[in-house]
Amino acid sequence: MKSVVILGRQSKLSLAELESVFGAALVEPLGSTAALIDLPAEEVVQKHLGGTLKIASLLATPSTTDWGQLLNFCRTALPEFLEDLPTGKLHLGLSVYGVKTNVASLQRGALELKKVARNAGRSARVVPNQNLELNSAQVLHNKLTGPLGLELLFVTRGAQTYLARTVHIQDIDEYAARDFGRPKRSGFVGMLPPKLAQIMLNLVAAQADEVILDPFCGTGVILQEAALMGCKVRGTDIEPNMIDYSRTNMEWLQKKYNLTDIGLGLEQGDAQTMSWQQPIDHVVCETYLGQPLTTLPSPEKLDKIRTGCNELMTAFLKNLAPQLESGTRCCIAIPAWRQKNDFLHLPVVDQLEKLGYNRGSFEHASDQDLIYHRNDQIVARELLVLTRK
């Protein structure tokens, strides 16, 4: 049984995450919004995939992308889809990706399928579409992944459509609780989203019981997501108040999620000179991103910011390398600055081999795809996936 997954806003970054977790051979892109995974949906754990919005079980692959023909197919197939659902009122929703239709036609189609369900002896309510795709909040709050939920996904590639039933959805409420509900937050050290922290951990293929080191731990976002994945966590930071923040947040997390034995170690230290406790299985961190910017500064000012960040990053990588065993994987977020048509990178990106690292590559994503950014941001996060030589 195969799965269809709906990718996040930066789909190539989502593909790199899936490739790192499941292997390139099991991941097949379906256009720019989705992918096929050669595993049952039950084996694809949604809660730890920061770049995946929905996970669905593949039901059929109609050889058409015409909405009218797809609707006719579903009229015939729906009674069979309903056989495995428990008795009770159904919650029905439709989402299309790449199908040429409109919201009104989609809504009419949902009402027609409601009639098919009724003729099969099942009552149902339709979740109304505001767009062609139901968002995570609509799926989550209407319980479309529950026992009586049925969100049908239609994903096109070429002349074929992949019809699937959503099984898991990204839990936006949980992300909000871990992001905004933590007792300690700080806008001065950046606001790393928990989703991105998960992606970074998955890019090094972190496994339960492995030791994750974050040498720039800040308020502990990466530490908290690693602990929820079952990893042992250690963090250092040059600022003593950040160590206090991380400790408070990790204590809160342990109580909230009833976590034990996370191997928490926190210590003040400069990443340019620090000697870290061994063993270290992976290094996952966000370094200093430089001065926050709302507009592109003058070339002179940007060069000064860039030079300072580059000196810090170079010294850090030099200090880290001899403390890692060969083959240790790292994911490090560094700054990149948006230009008119590209990003301005740190010079150290071209010196990685001299510093003792190999930069990882992905079949389904390029290095340029591993830049986490929003359209209104000047400072982006470039993710370096490295392996110690």
Side-chain angles (χ1 to χ4, degrees):
M1 179 71 72
K2 295 186 178 183
S3 304
V4 173
V5 300
I6 303 302
L7 306 171
R9 177 178 58 87
Q10 291 187 231
S11 59
K12 291 288 189 178
L13 182 56
S14 301
L15 283 171
E17 178 186 28
L18 293 173
E19 179 179 333
S20 183
V21 173
F22 301 109
L26 296 184
V27 179
E28 182 181 352
L30 299 177
S32 61
T33 59
L36 198 66
I37 300 182
D38 196 6
L39 287 171
E42 293 73 21
E43 295 183 21
V44 185
V45 181
Q46 171 79 57
K47 66 180 180 179
H48 296 316
L49 292 173
T52 296
L53 301 181
K54 300 177 182 179
I55 300 172
S57 291
L58 183 63
L59 299 174
T61 54
S63 297
T64 181
T65 62
D66 178 80
W67 175 239
Q69 295 180 25
L70 290 170
L71 191 56
N72 285 334
F73 178 89
C74 282
R75 286 193 191 99
T76 302
L78 185 61
E80 181 181 346
F81 297 160
L82 299 178
E83 288 179 357
D84 294 332
L85 300 185
T87 58
K89 190 171 186 177
L90 300 172
H91 304 271
L92 175 65
L94 304 181
S95 291
V96 299
Y97 301 84
V99 178
K100 293 182 179 179
T101 186
N102 55 53
V103 172
S105 295
L106 191 63
Q107 199 64 27
R108 286 195 297 269
L111 293 174
E112 290 182 33
L113 294 180
K114 176 181 177 180
K115 293 179 182 178
V116 173
R118 185 175 60 197
N119 292 336
R122 304 297 301 267
S123 62
R125 64 173 288 267
V126 170
V127 178
N129 286 78
Q130 299 172 344
N131 299 291
L132 293 177
E133 313 92 14
L134 297 175
N135 60 37
S136 297
Q138 289 173 296
V139 175
L140 182 66
H141 299 153
N142 286 284
K143 301 179 180 180
L144 289 179
T145 59
L148 291 172
L150 181 62
E151 184 193 20
L152 294 177
L153 305 184
F154 300 81
V155 180
T156 64
R157 183 181 62 175
Q160 192 168 40
T161 298
Y162 294 79
L163 174 60
R165 178 196 176 192
T166 304
V167 176
H168 302 295
I169 188 71
Q170 196 171 72
D171 195 335
I172 56 173
D173 292 340
E174 275 296 309
Y175 282 119
R178 297 204 297 274
D179 194 358
F180 303 108
R182 296 179 298 148
K184 298 291 186 179
R185 303 178 82 242
S186 172
F188 295 102
V189 295
M191 306 291 276
L192 183 72
K195 293 179 187 178
L196 180 57
Q198 287 183 330
I199 291 172
M200 293 172 67
L201 288 159
N202 284 323
L203 289 177
V204 300
Q207 302 294 317
D209 293 325
E210 290 185 326
V211 176
I212 305 298
L213 170 66
D214 182 351
F216 300 82
C217 66
T219 61
V221 176
I222 288 173
L223 301 182
Q224 75 178 25
E225 297 305 319
L228 290 170
M229 293 171 67
C231 300
K232 312 298 184 193
V233 294
R234 296 181 192 150
T236 62
D237 199 286
I238 195 171
E239 298 291 341
N241 62 320
M242 290 297 100
I243 296 301
D244 292 338
Y245 278 25
S246 281
R247 180 172 289 107
T248 299
N249 285 337
M250 293 304 292
E251 289 173 352
W252 168 84
L253 187 84
Q254 286 182 269
K255 291 178 181 177
K256 178 176 175 61
Y257 293 95
N258 195 27
L259 301 179
T260 59
D261 193 27
I262 63 172
L264 178 63
L266 292 169
E267 186 178 0
Q268 181 188 359
D270 186 343
Q272 299 172 95
T273 57
M274 183 80 179
S275 293
W276 289 282
Q277 179 183 349
Q278 298 293 326
I280 301 170
D281 292 312
H282 302 289
V283 177
V284 181
C285 63
E286 175 180 270
T287 63
Y288 177 56
L289 300 181
Q291 179 182 336
L293 300 171
T294 55
T295 59
L296 191 64
S298 67
E300 294 77 17
K301 183 175 181 180
L302 181 56
D303 183 66
K304 183 177 180 180
I305 295 171
R306 181 172 176 244
T307 298
C309 291
N310 194 69
E311 290 174 352
L312 169 61
M313 182 63 183
T314 303
F316 162 56
L317 289 177
K318 283 182 178 178
N319 180 46
L320 178 67
Q323 300 185 55
L324 300 180
E325 293 186 2
S326 176
T328 301
R329 295 185 70 179
C330 309
C331 184
I332 302 172
I334 64 172
W337 293 269
R338 184 187 293 278
Q339 307 292 284
K340 288 185 178 179
N341 301 310
D342 201 356
F343 287 92
L344 180 64
H345 306 272
L346 288 183
V348 73
V349 170
D350 297 321
Q351 304 296 320
L352 296 172
E353 289 196 18
K354 292 182 180 179
L355 293 170
Y357 304 88
N358 291 320
R359 189 169 186 179
S361 61
F362 295 89
E363 183 175 322
H364 300 304
S366 67
D367 290 345
Q368 196 69 15
D369 295 321
L370 303 186
I371 299 179
Y372 183 87
H373 62 93
R374 295 189 180 277
N375 292 333
D376 60 345
Q377 287 181 327
I378 300 298
V379 184
R381 294 173 169 95
E382 181 169 7
L383 305 184
L384 299 181
V385 181
L386 309 176
T387 303
R388 178 71 172 96
K389 286 186 177 181

